[in-house]
Amino acid sequence: VDSFNTGYPYTMTPLPIAFPDDSNTYNLASDTTRQFQWMIGSSLLAAPLLHKNYDKTNLMNIYLPQGRWILFGAGEVFEGPQTLTDFTMPLDQAPVFVGGKGILLLRDLKDDHLYAEVYSVSKDDQKASFYLKGDGNVITIENRLKGDGITNAFVRDETNGKTIPHRLDEKRNAVVFIPEVNRIYTVFCN
């Protein structure tokens, strides 16, 4: 919806567009570097194994722009900017890093409900709105997590001021909760 409304390629953003001030992103997809990476929305950096030379070793170079990046399935934390040289991308998980705004809205495939995952990746407060089904329903989440820890995290429904149930996924460094449509949430540490 944001791509349609603004013309900005949120669904698959080339890194030079997402990080225009970072000249290290300019030639990643060349014939020599073969680092095919892009942003999915404002919080996921995709880094799949796309080149035939990677088939046997699963080793690749991955460039991480400025900020904190968390390997999605494993929870391993990296600080950018840096290039992960000969990085082994596990084949049994999504080849993505969480960074940027650190706010994901995901669908549970077993029972089809939505859930949010919020990561401590930014030094600044971040906000994301998710428009659902094109019918005007929206979920807005503000990420105020700072630092390394999530152990004292809370989720507040700003619509009614109440703290809502959540769980901490300490392996993945995420705060997880089930949002409702047309609500505004703030995730913060006490």
Side-chain angles (χ1 to χ4, degrees):
V1 173
D2 285 339
S3 293
F4 175 80
N5 288 335
T6 66
Y8 186 86
Y10 285 105
T11 52
M12 192 173 180
T13 312
L15 291 188
I17 293 174
F19 303 95
D21 297 331
D22 186 345
S23 61
N24 294 318
T25 65
Y26 295 172
N27 295 310
L28 293 176
S30 71
D31 287 340
T32 55
T33 59
R34 296 182 175 136
Q35 290 176 256
F36 303 102
Q37 299 171 221
W38 59 88
M39 291 295 293
I40 301 170
S42 59
S43 298
L44 288 177
L45 184 141
L49 290 162
L50 292 177
H51 193 268
K52 66 180 180 180
N53 291 346
Y54 300 136
D55 288 295
K56 295 177 182 152
T57 64
N58 297 338
L59 298 176
M60 60 190 293
N61 294 339
I62 299 172
Y63 179 72
L64 300 175
Q66 180 70 39
R68 177 177 289 147
W69 298 92
I70 299 173
L71 185 57
F72 180 68
E76 192 174 353
V77 178
F78 302 91
E79 292 292 333
Q82 73 166 305
T83 298
L84 304 176
T85 304
D86 290 336
F87 184 79
T88 302
M89 182 60 76
L91 295 176
D92 60 345
Q93 69 181 46
V96 294
F97 292 80
V98 179
K101 291 184 177 183
I103 304 168
L104 304 177
L105 187 64
L106 305 165
R107 182 173 305 281
D108 186 321
L109 298 177
K110 293 176 187 164
D111 62 12
D112 203 40
H113 77 270
L114 296 175
Y115 64 98
E117 289 187 358
V118 180
Y119 295 78
S120 178
V121 292
S122 180
K123 295 177 183 173
D124 302 317
D125 292 348
Q126 299 291 333
K127 187 183 246 181
S129 294
F130 300 93
Y131 299 90
L132 310 173
K133 299 181 185 177
D135 58 7
N137 288 322
V138 64
I139 295 171
T140 300
I141 301 170
E142 184 170 357
N143 182 355
R144 292 187 183 172
L145 297 175
K146 308 277 189 306
D148 293 330
I150 60 168
T151 54
N152 295 322
F154 292 92
V155 179
R156 184 173 53 227
D157 180 341
E158 299 298 345
T159 312
N160 60 22
K162 294 182 180 178
T163 300
I164 66 162
H166 64 282
R167 70 178 175 82
L168 304 178
D169 186 332
E170 293 191 29
K171 177 186 176 205
R172 295 177 56 210
N173 293 303
V175 176
V176 183
F177 66 98
I178 299 174
E180 295 180 30
V181 297
N182 300 320
R183 301 275 184 163
I184 299 170
Y185 298 94
T186 303
V187 181
F188 61 98
C189 282
N190 218 4

